[in-house]
Amino acid sequence: MTGEDDPKEKSDMNDNPEDPGTPAPPSAPGAPGRLRRMARSRGGIAVVGALVGALLGTGVMSWRAGDLPFAARDMCWGSLSPDVAEALFTDTDVRSDELPLRRATEDSMHTECSMQGFGDDELESEVTASVRTLGELRGAQAWDWTRQYLSSRMTPLGDGITGMASSQRAWVALPTSCHERSYEPGEKPPLRVVTLASGASDPDSVNEVDARRGLDAMSRAVVRLANGVMDEYGCEGRYPDPPKLPGPPEGKSVKALDNDRLCGLRGVELPGWARGEDVSAARTTPGTEADGPVTGGVRSCDVGRPFALDRIRLTTVADPKLAGVVSRVLGERADRLGGDGKGAHAGGLTIYTADCQRGRAAFVAWEKNPADDADDADDTAGGRRSLGLTVLPSYVKTEAKRAGCGEVNVKVPSLPTT
């Protein structure tokens, strides 16, 4: 999805650090991939050794003391071995450039590492690793991260790892032991994550083979990245490599929509005025069931056409720390909603939060193009037809029970029905 409608609260909006552009090649690229691969073989070692000797004899080549020529080095703060990093690309020379791994500051972006794939010395693709403090994000920045990293393309990593991955995105939460100061009882440390980003967060088309390969590579790399960062920070504990994840959400996971059980949820219906070809398919977070627990703390459902699931997204965030990030998306200028919890609505985005057994939970309804159903004369929450506001009360009531929040009733403005 590339044409998003951001919330009205844009005071915190900066350039999106998670959708990397195409920077110039690093000034000090690594060794060419062919030589690197040659250096790993027994026969290649002899060839490379002879070549190095010849170059040294003529004074053509030099390197820093302690470095081996053509030796493949671990990337991104020593976290990613060459085989893990190269699996993120397709038969290219991989080079990296990184900023120092700093401790937390008031800046929500701690640091970044860029891995670039070159073919014939031309930049073909890029994967960006970063260490972020989500607790510092507000407004459009918080929404941009939520939109990219909590979509229905993302698969929970499982095995006690708080994180998700797709063929284009991945994130893992760092443990509280990575905080450089202690916190008072009741004080909540900010959520910090390591992320990987490659290309568009919601590409128009990815075949199942490439999606499977990308998902496996991203999930393994982001866990290794998290462990490397934890080593550098001196944190306690390490994450195991993720298990084989459910199939990626491309292709077969897109299912025909049941109008009477929207996203498979009993009691959540699609209103009559929204039914039709534009709302005929749905995709839900892989590995989750409509009647089961919220695996990994997040469940999303994208609804629309089979190849353009951009009519509405419904998301349940049962992880309290993530819910805290989501709750800060909408600012004071949003229209407030009533009921047993707290909520707000602005543009095509509606967010409602409730206090549950595990802590705060958040429920999100996002319409990518709300103007399609808007009354130009009155664009307030109560003056236009809104699919998000229409389904939100039944969606929250159903999902809140499943998330352990009990009965949660939502009050929205009276909405037009025709």
Side-chain angles (χ1 to χ4, degrees):
M1 291 180 243
T2 56
E4 301 82 17
D5 290 306
D6 286 321
K8 292 182 179 178
E9 183 63 33
K10 297 181 182 293
S11 61
D12 294 312
M13 178 176 289
N14 291 328
D15 292 337
N16 177 12
E18 296 298 324
D19 277 335
T22 305
S27 57
R34 182 177 298 175
L35 287 171
R36 182 182 302 150
R37 288 189 290 270
M38 183 186 297
R40 293 177 189 167
S41 67
R42 181 173 298 176
I45 292 175
V47 175
V48 171
L51 176 61
V52 171
L55 291 174
L56 285 175
T58 59
V60 173
M61 181 179 179
S62 65
W63 62 86
R64 292 178 300 175
D67 286 348
L68 294 176
F70 307 133
R73 300 182 181 90
D74 291 350
M75 300 181 185
C76 297
W77 315 294
S79 303
L80 302 180
S81 61
D83 63 313
V84 173
E86 290 172 0
L88 298 169
F89 300 86
T90 304
D91 195 25
T92 57
D93 298 328
V94 182
R95 313 170 187 178
S96 68
D97 194 13
E98 64 193 48
L99 297 174
L101 187 59
R102 303 184 303 273
R103 281 291 190 176
T105 66
E106 293 182 357
D107 186 359
S108 58
M109 172 65 76
H110 290 185
T111 191
E112 190 171 280
C113 171
S114 172
M115 292 173 285
Q116 300 169 333
F118 286 81
D120 296 328
D121 282 333
E122 293 186 0
L123 180 62
E124 294 184 349
S125 56
E126 182 176 25
V127 177
T128 301
S130 66
V131 183
R132 309 201 61 173
T133 299
L134 296 187
E136 303 294 339
L137 299 184
R138 299 288 189 279
Q141 284 185 324
W143 170 241
D144 190 63
W145 193 92
T146 300
R147 177 188 59 80
Q148 293 188 56
Y149 289 90
L150 302 184
S151 79
S152 66
R153 284 186 180 274
M154 305 297 291
T155 301
L157 294 176
D159 268 7
I161 303 174
T162 300
M164 308 179 81
S166 72
S167 61
Q168 305 290 324
R169 292 289 185 276
W171 66 272
V172 169
L174 293 174
T176 55
S177 62
C178 283
H179 294 278
E180 66 270 24
R181 72 177 181 86
S182 59
Y183 289 84
E184 298 296 328
E187 188 179 7
K188 298 179 180 179
L191 177 61
R192 293 181 187 165
V193 298
V194 295
T195 65
L196 287 174
S198 173
S201 60
D202 198 1
D204 292 334
S205 61
V206 179
N207 66 62
E208 292 185 42
V209 174
D210 288 342
R212 175 80 258 182
R213 182 190 64 80
L215 174 61
D216 292 342
M218 292 289 279
S219 60
R220 183 173 67 153
V222 76
V223 172
R224 297 285 183 90
L225 179 66
N227 285 337
V229 171
M230 290 159 66
D231 283 337
E232 291 294 314
Y233 280 167
C235 314
E236 298 176 359
R238 294 296 178 269
Y239 295 128
D241 280 345
K244 186 76 171 180
L245 300 180
E250 281 74 18
K252 59 185 179 182
S253 64
V254 177
K255 300 179 180 179
L257 186 69
D258 184 343
N259 292 322
D260 298 324
R261 296 187 62 170
L262 186 60
C263 296
L265 301 172
R266 187 184 301 276
V268 185
E269 298 182 2
L270 196 67
W273 54 265
R275 302 185 183 190
E277 293 183 357
D278 288 341
V279 190
S280 59
R283 180 184 64 216
T284 57
T285 299
T288 63
E289 300 293 338
D291 297 328
V294 185
T295 306
V298 178
R299 181 180 184 267
S300 285
C301 176
D302 286 298
V303 176
R305 292 176 180 269
F307 297 100
L309 298 171
D310 56 5
R311 183 62 180 86
I312 188 172
R313 173 181 295 173
L314 300 173
T315 302
T316 296
V317 183
D319 181 278
K321 288 187 176 181
L322 283 176
V325 175
V326 175
S327 68
R328 292 189 293 271
V329 168
L330 292 175
E332 294 301 321
R333 287 181 290 173
D335 297 317
R336 299 296 153 181
L337 306 180
D340 297 324
K342 296 180 180 180
H345 173 87
L349 182 61
T350 305
I351 298 175
Y352 203 83
T353 62
D355 293 327
C356 308
Q357 293 177 352
R358 295 182 54 200
R360 179 183 297 178
F363 309 92
V364 182
W366 175 47
E367 301 172 76
K368 182 179 178 182
N369 298 306
D372 292 347
D373 291 318
D375 181 349
D376 293 336
D378 187 357
D379 194 32
T380 63
R384 66 178 180 85
R385 195 167 60 181
S386 167
L387 180 55
L389 285 176
T390 300
V391 303
L392 185 73
S394 59
Y395 176 72
V396 172
K397 178 173 287 190
T398 299
E399 285 290 89
K401 291 180 180 178
R402 195 162 65 93
C405 309
E407 187 84 12
V408 178
N409 295 296
V410 181
K411 294 181 179 179
V412 300
S414 297
L415 302 171
T417 59
T418 59

